[in-house]
Every structure is written in C-alpha cells, then in structure tokens.
PDB file of all heavy atoms in Angstrom:
ATOM      1  N   SER A   1      92.098  95.376  99.384  1.00 96.00           N
ATOM      2  CA  SER A   1      92.658  96.647  98.812  1.00 96.00           C
ATOM      3  C   SER A   1      94.059  96.402  98.328  1.00 96.00           C
ATOM      4  O   SER A   1      94.861  95.687  98.996  1.00 96.00           O
ATOM      5  CB  SER A   1      92.607  97.651  99.955  1.00 96.00           C
ATOM      6  OG  SER A   1      93.499  98.781  99.602  1.00 96.00           O
ATOM      7  N   GLN A   2      94.403  96.996  97.280  1.00 98.00           N
ATOM      8  CA  GLN A   2      95.799  96.975  96.824  1.00 98.00           C
ATOM      9  C   GLN A   2      96.787  97.604  97.798  1.00 98.00           C
ATOM     10  O   GLN A   2      97.902  97.178  97.880  1.00 98.00           O
ATOM     11  CB  GLN A   2      95.934  97.701  95.392  1.00 98.00           C
ATOM     12  CG  GLN A   2      95.091  97.013  94.297  1.00 98.00           C
ATOM     13  CD  GLN A   2      95.753  95.653  93.914  1.00 98.00           C
ATOM     14  OE1 GLN A   2      96.663  95.565  93.148  1.00 98.00           O
ATOM     15  NE2 GLN A   2      95.156  94.568  94.408  1.00 98.00           N
ATOM     16  N   ALA A   3      96.334  98.534  98.531  1.00 97.00           N
ATOM     17  CA  ALA A   3      97.163  99.227  99.558  1.00 97.00           C
ATOM     18  C   ALA A   3      97.645  98.245 100.627  1.00 97.00           C
ATOM     19  O   ALA A   3      98.686  98.450 101.204  1.00 97.00           O
ATOM     20  CB  ALA A   3      96.457 100.468 100.172  1.00 97.00           C
ATOM     21  N   PHE A   4      96.833  97.284 100.924  1.00 98.00           N
ATOM     22  CA  PHE A   4      97.233  96.293 101.919  1.00 98.00           C
ATOM     23  C   PHE A   4      98.555  95.659 101.476  1.00 98.00           C
ATOM     24  O   PHE A   4      99.489  95.437 102.303  1.00 98.00           O
ATOM     25  CB  PHE A   4      96.160  95.183 102.149  1.00 98.00           C
ATOM     26  CG  PHE A   4      96.641  94.103 103.061  1.00 98.00           C
ATOM     27  CD1 PHE A   4      96.602  94.190 104.361  1.00 98.00           C
ATOM     28  CD2 PHE A   4      97.229  92.917 102.419  1.00 98.00           C
ATOM     29  CE1 PHE A   4      97.011  93.147 105.186  1.00 98.00           C
ATOM     30  CE2 PHE A   4      97.699  91.889 103.274  1.00 98.00           C
ATOM     31  CZ  PHE A   4      97.583  92.039 104.661  1.00 98.00           C
ATOM     32  N   TRP A   5      98.619  95.164 100.280  1.00 98.00           N
ATOM     33  CA  TRP A   5      99.808  94.480  99.772  1.00 98.00           C
ATOM     34  C   TRP A   5     101.009  95.396  99.678  1.00 98.00           C
ATOM     35  O   TRP A   5     102.172  94.937  99.901  1.00 98.00           O
ATOM     36  CB  TRP A   5      99.462  93.814  98.377  1.00 98.00           C
ATOM     37  CG  TRP A   5      98.273  92.980  98.552  1.00 98.00           C
ATOM     38  CD1 TRP A   5      97.011  93.215  98.082  1.00 98.00           C
ATOM     39  CD2 TRP A   5      98.153  91.699  99.216  1.00 98.00           C
ATOM     40  NE1 TRP A   5      96.112  92.253  98.416  1.00 98.00           N
ATOM     41  CE2 TRP A   5      96.814  91.296  99.082  1.00 98.00           C
ATOM     42  CE3 TRP A   5      99.069  90.891  99.881  1.00 98.00           C
ATOM     43  CZ2 TRP A   5      96.315  90.052  99.669  1.00 98.00           C
ATOM     44  CZ3 TRP A   5      98.599  89.646 100.394  1.00 98.00           C
ATOM     45  CH2 TRP A   5      97.274  89.302 100.277  1.00 98.00           C
ATOM     46  N   ASP A   6     100.738  96.735  99.407  1.00 98.00           N
ATOM     47  CA  ASP A   6     101.823  97.657  99.391  1.00 98.00           C
ATOM     48  C   ASP A   6     102.485  97.726 100.815  1.00 98.00           C
ATOM     49  O   ASP A   6     103.669  97.726 101.002  1.00 98.00           O
ATOM     50  CB  ASP A   6     101.376  99.052  98.960  1.00 98.00           C
ATOM     51  CG  ASP A   6     100.965  99.155  97.521  1.00 98.00           C
ATOM     52  OD1 ASP A   6     101.409  98.300  96.649  1.00 98.00           O
ATOM     53  OD2 ASP A   6     100.083  99.947  97.166  1.00 98.00           O
ATOM     54  N   HIS A   7     101.589  97.836 101.778  1.00 98.00           N
ATOM     55  CA  HIS A   7     102.066  97.944 103.204  1.00 98.00           C
ATOM     56  C   HIS A   7     102.798  96.627 103.580  1.00 98.00           C
ATOM     57  O   HIS A   7     103.856  96.725 104.228  1.00 98.00           O
ATOM     58  CB  HIS A   7     100.871  98.146 104.140  1.00 98.00           C
ATOM     59  CG  HIS A   7     100.280  99.526 104.160  1.00 98.00           C
ATOM     60  ND1 HIS A   7     101.031 100.551 104.643  1.00 98.00           N
ATOM     61  CD2 HIS A   7      99.052  99.976 103.841  1.00 98.00           C
ATOM     62  CE1 HIS A   7     100.259 101.680 104.616  1.00 98.00           C
ATOM     63  NE2 HIS A   7      99.047 101.373 104.135  1.00 98.00           N
ATOM     64  N   LEU A   8     102.252  95.514 103.155  1.00 98.00           N
ATOM     65  CA  LEU A   8     102.854  94.262 103.565  1.00 98.00           C
ATOM     66  C   LEU A   8     104.219  94.110 102.941  1.00 98.00           C
ATOM     67  O   LEU A   8     105.200  93.701 103.594  1.00 98.00           O
ATOM     68  CB  LEU A   8     101.974  93.116 103.070  1.00 98.00           C
ATOM     69  CG  LEU A   8     102.485  91.672 103.405  1.00 98.00           C
ATOM     70  CD1 LEU A   8     102.453  91.454 104.892  1.00 98.00           C
ATOM     71  CD2 LEU A   8     101.595  90.653 102.701  1.00 98.00           C
ATOM     72  N   ARG A   9     104.410  94.567 101.686  1.00 97.00           N
ATOM     73  CA  ARG A   9     105.678  94.499 100.989  1.00 97.00           C
ATOM     74  C   ARG A   9     106.751  95.331 101.750  1.00 97.00           C
ATOM     75  O   ARG A   9     107.883  94.880 101.927  1.00 97.00           O
ATOM     76  CB  ARG A   9     105.598  94.914  99.575  1.00 97.00           C
ATOM     77  CG  ARG A   9     106.911  94.933  98.774  1.00 97.00           C
ATOM     78  CD  ARG A   9     107.393  93.512  98.507  1.00 97.00           C
ATOM     79  NE  ARG A   9     108.696  93.482  97.850  1.00 97.00           N
ATOM     80  CZ  ARG A   9     108.839  93.658  96.510  1.00 97.00           C
ATOM     81  NH1 ARG A   9     107.820  93.988  95.787  1.00 97.00           N
ATOM     82  NH2 ARG A   9     110.034  93.610  95.966  1.00 97.00           N
ATOM     83  N   GLN A  10     106.339  96.496 102.219  1.00 96.00           N
ATOM     84  CA  GLN A  10     107.322  97.373 102.949  1.00 96.00           C
ATOM     85  C   GLN A  10     107.641  96.726 104.288  1.00 96.00           C
ATOM     86  O   GLN A  10     108.795  96.828 104.746  1.00 96.00           O
ATOM     87  CB  GLN A  10     106.640  98.734 103.144  1.00 96.00           C
ATOM     88  CG  GLN A  10     106.402  99.527 101.884  1.00 96.00           C
ATOM     89  CD  GLN A  10     105.638 100.771 102.141  1.00 96.00           C
ATOM     90  OE1 GLN A  10     105.247 101.111 103.248  1.00 96.00           O
ATOM     91  NE2 GLN A  10     105.343 101.492 101.014  1.00 96.00           N
ATOM     92  N   ASP A  11     106.669  95.997 104.891  1.00 96.00           N
ATOM     93  CA  ASP A  11     106.821  95.447 106.239  1.00 96.00           C
ATOM     94  C   ASP A  11     107.599  94.142 106.209  1.00 96.00           C
ATOM     95  O   ASP A  11     108.415  93.860 107.146  1.00 96.00           O
ATOM     96  CB  ASP A  11     105.390  95.253 106.756  1.00 96.00           C
ATOM     97  CG  ASP A  11     105.392  95.114 108.376  1.00 96.00           C
ATOM     98  OD1 ASP A  11     106.489  95.302 108.885  1.00 96.00           O
ATOM     99  OD2 ASP A  11     104.333  94.834 108.861  1.00 96.00           O
ATOM    100  N   GLU A  12     107.364  93.324 105.171  1.00 96.00           N
ATOM    101  CA  GLU A  12     107.867  91.937 105.218  1.00 96.00           C
ATOM    102  C   GLU A  12     109.061  91.744 104.186  1.00 96.00           C
ATOM    103  O   GLU A  12     109.788  90.758 104.325  1.00 96.00           O
ATOM    104  CB  GLU A  12     106.809  90.938 104.852  1.00 96.00           C
ATOM    105  CG  GLU A  12     106.109  90.376 106.021  1.00 96.00           C
ATOM    106  CD  GLU A  12     107.012  89.508 106.879  1.00 96.00           C
ATOM    107  OE1 GLU A  12     107.677  88.569 106.323  1.00 96.00           O
ATOM    108  OE2 GLU A  12     107.069  89.693 108.035  1.00 96.00           O
ATOM    109  N   ASN A  13     109.219  92.560 103.225  1.00 91.00           N
ATOM    110  CA  ASN A  13     110.332  92.487 102.248  1.00 91.00           C
ATOM    111  C   ASN A  13     110.393  91.082 101.603  1.00 91.00           C
ATOM    112  O   ASN A  13     111.466  90.405 101.603  1.00 91.00           O
ATOM    113  CB  ASN A  13     111.628  92.824 102.906  1.00 91.00           C
ATOM    114  CG  ASN A  13     112.792  93.009 101.917  1.00 91.00           C
ATOM    115  OD1 ASN A  13     112.530  93.422 100.794  1.00 91.00           O
ATOM    116  ND2 ASN A  13     113.983  92.591 102.303  1.00 91.00           N
ATOM    117  N   PHE A  14     109.269  90.614 101.076  1.00 97.00           N
ATOM    118  CA  PHE A  14     109.226  89.355 100.316  1.00 97.00           C
ATOM    119  C   PHE A  14     109.343  89.521  98.832  1.00 97.00           C
ATOM    120  O   PHE A  14     109.079  90.627  98.376  1.00 97.00           O
ATOM    121  CB  PHE A  14     107.999  88.546 100.739  1.00 97.00           C
ATOM    122  CG  PHE A  14     106.670  89.316 100.395  1.00 97.00           C
ATOM    123  CD1 PHE A  14     106.090  89.158  99.205  1.00 97.00           C
ATOM    124  CD2 PHE A  14     106.120  90.215 101.276  1.00 97.00           C
ATOM    125  CE1 PHE A  14     104.836  89.835  98.822  1.00 97.00           C
ATOM    126  CE2 PHE A  14     104.982  90.921 100.993  1.00 97.00           C
ATOM    127  CZ  PHE A  14     104.372  90.687  99.705  1.00 97.00           C
ATOM    128  N   ASP A  15     109.625  88.490  98.173  1.00 98.00           N
ATOM    129  CA  ASP A  15     109.643  88.524  96.689  1.00 98.00           C
ATOM    130  C   ASP A  15     108.283  87.993  96.183  1.00 98.00           C
ATOM    131  O   ASP A  15     107.971  86.844  96.369  1.00 98.00           O
ATOM    132  CB  ASP A  15     110.755  87.644  96.188  1.00 98.00           C
ATOM    133  CG  ASP A  15     110.892  87.523  94.655  1.00 98.00           C
ATOM    134  OD1 ASP A  15     109.952  88.115  94.013  1.00 98.00           O
ATOM    135  OD2 ASP A  15     111.764  86.902  94.133  1.00 98.00           O
ATOM    136  N   PRO A  16     107.471  88.872  95.615  1.00 98.00           N
ATOM    137  CA  PRO A  16     106.103  88.492  95.188  1.00 98.00           C
ATOM    138  C   PRO A  16     106.087  87.279  94.320  1.00 98.00           C
ATOM    139  O   PRO A  16     105.227  86.389  94.398  1.00 98.00           O
ATOM    140  CB  PRO A  16     105.574  89.683  94.496  1.00 98.00           C
ATOM    141  CG  PRO A  16     106.277  90.851  95.057  1.00 98.00           C
ATOM    142  CD  PRO A  16     107.670  90.377  95.341  1.00 98.00           C
ATOM    143  N   ALA A  17     107.084  87.174  93.406  1.00 98.00           N
ATOM    144  CA  ALA A  17     107.135  86.021  92.430  1.00 98.00           C
ATOM    145  C   ALA A  17     107.391  84.731  93.149  1.00 98.00           C
ATOM    146  O   ALA A  17     107.050  83.668  92.615  1.00 98.00           O
ATOM    147  CB  ALA A  17     108.192  86.309  91.427  1.00 98.00           C
ATOM    148  N   ARG A  18     107.986  84.770  94.353  1.00 98.00           N
ATOM    149  CA  ARG A  18     108.320  83.569  95.076  1.00 98.00           C
ATOM    150  C   ARG A  18     107.474  83.442  96.370  1.00 98.00           C
ATOM    151  O   ARG A  18     107.919  82.860  97.367  1.00 98.00           O
ATOM    152  CB  ARG A  18     109.825  83.508  95.468  1.00 98.00           C
ATOM    153  CG  ARG A  18     110.683  83.409  94.164  1.00 98.00           C
ATOM    154  CD  ARG A  18     112.179  83.330  94.522  1.00 98.00           C
ATOM    155  NE  ARG A  18     112.427  82.079  95.283  1.00 98.00           N
ATOM    156  CZ  ARG A  18     112.633  80.874  94.782  1.00 98.00           C
ATOM    157  NH1 ARG A  18     112.528  80.673  93.468  1.00 98.00           N
ATOM    158  NH2 ARG A  18     112.799  79.826  95.587  1.00 98.00           N
ATOM    159  N   THR A  19     106.239  83.958  96.304  1.00 98.00           N
ATOM    160  CA  THR A  19     105.353  83.973  97.422  1.00 98.00           C
ATOM    161  C   THR A  19     104.103  83.277  97.101  1.00 98.00           C
ATOM    162  O   THR A  19     103.494  83.446  95.997  1.00 98.00           O
ATOM    163  CB  THR A  19     105.086  85.462  97.921  1.00 98.00           C
ATOM    164  OG1 THR A  19     106.297  86.013  98.403  1.00 98.00           O
ATOM    165  CG2 THR A  19     104.041  85.446  99.005  1.00 98.00           C
ATOM    166  N   LEU A  20     103.573  82.477  98.026  1.00 98.00           N
ATOM    167  CA  LEU A  20     102.300  81.747  97.909  1.00 98.00           C
ATOM    168  C   LEU A  20     101.309  82.342  98.868  1.00 98.00           C
ATOM    169  O   LEU A  20     101.651  82.510 100.141  1.00 98.00           O
ATOM    170  CB  LEU A  20     102.491  80.306  98.198  1.00 98.00           C
ATOM    171  CG  LEU A  20     101.223  79.456  98.449  1.00 98.00           C
ATOM    172  CD1 LEU A  20     100.335  79.339  97.196  1.00 98.00           C
ATOM    173  CD2 LEU A  20     101.569  77.998  98.958  1.00 98.00           C
ATOM    174  N   LEU A  21     100.144  82.672  98.472  1.00 98.00           N
ATOM    175  CA  LEU A  21      99.041  83.110  99.303  1.00 98.00           C
ATOM    176  C   LEU A  21      97.973  82.011  99.302  1.00 98.00           C
ATOM    177  O   LEU A  21      97.568  81.551  98.229  1.00 98.00           O
ATOM    178  CB  LEU A  21      98.380  84.444  98.918  1.00 98.00           C
ATOM    179  CG  LEU A  21      97.055  84.774  99.596  1.00 98.00           C
ATOM    180  CD1 LEU A  21      97.272  85.032 101.048  1.00 98.00           C
ATOM    181  CD2 LEU A  21      96.362  85.901  98.885  1.00 98.00           C
ATOM    182  N   ILE A  22      97.576  81.471 100.489  1.00 98.00           N
ATOM    183  CA  ILE A  22      96.493  80.554 100.653  1.00 98.00           C
ATOM    184  C   ILE A  22      95.343  81.211 101.374  1.00 98.00           C
ATOM    185  O   ILE A  22      95.498  81.683 102.469  1.00 98.00           O
ATOM    186  CB  ILE A  22      96.925  79.301 101.367  1.00 98.00           C
ATOM    187  CG1 ILE A  22      98.173  78.721 100.804  1.00 98.00           C
ATOM    188  CG2 ILE A  22      95.804  78.280 101.388  1.00 98.00           C
ATOM    189  CD1 ILE A  22      98.756  77.458 101.550  1.00 98.00           C
ATOM    190  N   ASP A  23      94.140  81.354 100.735  1.00 98.00           N
ATOM    191  CA  ASP A  23      93.014  82.065 101.226  1.00 98.00           C
ATOM    192  C   ASP A  23      91.774  81.472 100.689  1.00 98.00           C
ATOM    193  O   ASP A  23      91.693  81.026  99.558  1.00 98.00           O
ATOM    194  CB  ASP A  23      93.160  83.570 100.818  1.00 98.00           C
ATOM    195  CG  ASP A  23      92.387  84.514 101.735  1.00 98.00           C
ATOM    196  OD1 ASP A  23      91.194  84.367 101.926  1.00 98.00           O
ATOM    197  OD2 ASP A  23      93.072  85.403 102.292  1.00 98.00           O
ATOM    198  N   ASP A  24      90.674  81.555 101.522  1.00 97.00           N
ATOM    199  CA  ASP A  24      89.441  81.024 101.058  1.00 97.00           C
ATOM    200  C   ASP A  24      88.575  82.087 100.405  1.00 97.00           C
ATOM    201  O   ASP A  24      87.533  81.781  99.840  1.00 97.00           O
ATOM    202  CB  ASP A  24      88.571  80.379 102.203  1.00 97.00           C
ATOM    203  CG  ASP A  24      88.213  81.376 103.276  1.00 97.00           C
ATOM    204  OD1 ASP A  24      89.075  82.051 103.767  1.00 97.00           O
ATOM    205  OD2 ASP A  24      86.989  81.468 103.521  1.00 97.00           O
ATOM    206  N   SER A  25      88.986  83.311 100.491  1.00 97.00           N
ATOM    207  CA  SER A  25      88.198  84.472  99.883  1.00 97.00           C
ATOM    208  C   SER A  25      88.623  84.657  98.465  1.00 97.00           C
ATOM    209  O   SER A  25      89.770  85.001  98.154  1.00 97.00           O
ATOM    210  CB  SER A  25      88.474  85.762 100.744  1.00 97.00           C
ATOM    211  OG  SER A  25      87.986  86.909 100.034  1.00 97.00           O
TER     212      SER A  25
END
C-alpha cells in the first residue's frame, strides 16, 4: 500500500532519493 510508505516517511524522516529498499517481493 502507498499508505505504508507515507506512514514510514513520517516515522523515520528519511530522504527517499537517498534510500535503498531490498526486498524479494
């Protein structure tokens, strides 16, 4: 869900452009 990433951004205050996600899904 897009809402997950919205929550995460509020919670973690990361820069999306300087973030790496590693996932098998």
Side-chain angles (χ1 to χ4, degrees):
S1 164
Q2 295 290 282
F4 172 87
W5 306 104
D6 292 336
H7 283 296
L8 182 66
R9 177 70 182 281
Q10 294 172 4
D11 199 8
E12 267 293 310
N13 191 32
F14 59 92
D15 179 353
R18 295 185 60 84
T19 297
L20 165 67
L21 169 67
I22 308 177
D23 204 302
D24 67 303
S25 166

